Amino acid sequence: VKKSVLPKLPDFSAISSVWPGQAVSYYIGFLQLLEMRRRAMEALPAGFDLKAFHRVILANASLPLPVLETQVDSYIVGNT
């Protein structure tokens, strides 16, 4: 059995019944966060620290995804 470090797909059934478009928005953000994490893991194979990555993601609370992506890229460059 092959294990993955990526989380399972979240259950959006609770919010999709109230705000159908919100589930799509959350899922797009979820996919982009997974992509940013994958890039960081590939760029920093030995030095990837999940806690440090989470600090970068959560440091400035709510950000537009392109701005957050810039911060993740800076994190990767700063740790290579």
Side-chain angles (χ1 to χ4, degrees):
V1 174
K2 183 178 178 182
K3 292 188 178 185
S4 173
V5 295
L6 300 177
K8 292 184 179 181
L9 182 64
D11 179 20
F12 291 114
S13 61
I15 60 168
S16 65
S17 62
V18 179
W19 302 106
Q22 191 172 10
V24 174
S25 298
Y26 286 167
Y27 189 65
I28 290 170
F30 171 76
L31 291 177
Q32 288 199 333
L33 285 170
L34 287 179
E35 173 60 23
M36 286 182 242
R37 188 167 89 178
R38 183 197 59 76
R39 277 196 335 230
M41 290 173 71
E42 287 179 0
L44 309 166
F48 179 76
D49 179 6
L50 187 58
K51 288 182 182 182
F53 180 77
H54 283 176
R55 279 192 294 273
V56 171
I57 297 295
L58 299 173
N60 294 305
S62 180
L63 291 174
L65 287 171
V67 175
L68 181 59
E69 192 168 6
T70 301
Q71 291 187 347
V72 169
D73 290 341
S74 296
Y75 163 74
I76 291 171
V77 169
N79 287 297
T80 53

